[in-house]
Amino acid sequence: MDNMKIPKHIAIMMDGNGRWAKKKFMPRTFGHMQGSKTLENICKAASDLGVEYLTVYAFSTENWKRPKDEVEGLMNLLKKYLSEYVEISVNNNMRVKIIGNMEKMDDEFQGLVNNLEKATANCTGLKFQIAINYGGKDEIIRATKKIALEYFNKDIDISKINEELFDTYMDTADIPEPELFIRTGGERRLSNFLLWEMAHTEMYFTDVLWPDFKKEDFEKAIFKYSKRDKVCNN
Ligand code: FPP
């Protein structure tokens, strides 16, 4: 794996937890639990390979439509993860940031998010973004509302609105665009993830279900990316 061009920023859609669990005659939440273990391993692999930014899709604005017990299971898992990750992230020097619409989350959830972000704010290793209650279209609308409010308050001049300025209103302000997007689980769609940020991103799709995704699969995706010898001007 020497001489591999390592992307600075990798975005991942961790798909296939439900099917993985079903194959084992287990509830879908069991698949998500196993998926969170895979995520821990991939964070470690990303750090070891020198990836600077990793962004994962944990819960979409559409996921609320899933059966109540699955939504509850995922929320409980996320809360557990947010609290446990204070220590794990500090020990691994990972800065964690949550992207998505936090206004709709309950006070306990927001408290856990603030706590984790604060505790890891000075970590200088992997910059790890977790998208929760996130939708690409929703992020663009929220950014537009912030700009409109500043325009209304006469704090912004309409002629100054360009791509660079718009970037600064996004949840991913100060985070470079991902060079590589990985989606596990066999689907070949973007599913409303980082729509603004992935305008130029290379896409990698694999049939491996997320709980089965190993360090070797991650390295294979990066290897394939690094072999695509493209001139990026589009
Ligand atoms: C998609 O699989 C996955 C999700 C909706 C949730 C992703 C969450 C995790 C990997 C675990 C928790 C995350 C953190 C940050 C702790 P799916 O349920 O759509 O699978 P399917 O396509 O097989 O039904």
Side-chain angles (χ1 to χ4, degrees), residues 85-148:
Y85 254 63
V86 172
E87 201 181 329
I88 296 175
S89 307
V90 171
N91 287 344
N92 291 296
N93 198 20
M94 274 164 49
R95 187 194 76 181
V96 188
K97 185 176 154 55
I98 309 303
I99 61 169
N101 189 349
M102 285 302 107
E103 275 175 25
K104 286 197 184 144
M105 310 308 282
D106 64 34
D107 288 350
E108 184 197 359
F109 201 97
Q110 291 192 30
L112 291 168
V113 167
N114 290 337
N115 192 30
L116 178 58
E117 288 187 340
K118 251 198 207 149
T120 63
N122 295 324
C123 293
T124 54
L126 182 72
K127 292 174 180 59
F128 179 42
Q129 290 66 239
I130 310 172
I132 300 176
N133 193 26
Y134 175 88
K137 288 188 176 182
D138 181 66
E139 185 190 19
I140 294 168
I141 289 171
R142 285 187 287 109
T144 307
K145 283 184 180 164
K146 287 182 224 163
I147 295 173

Side-chain angles (χ1 to χ4, degrees), residues 14-19 28 32 36 39 58 63 66 78 81:
M14 310 176 285
D15 202 7
N17 296 341
R19 277 164 287 160
R28 295 176 59 84
H32 298 314
S36 72
L39 181 57
N63 284 155
R66 292 192 173 202
L78 287 170
Y81 190 91

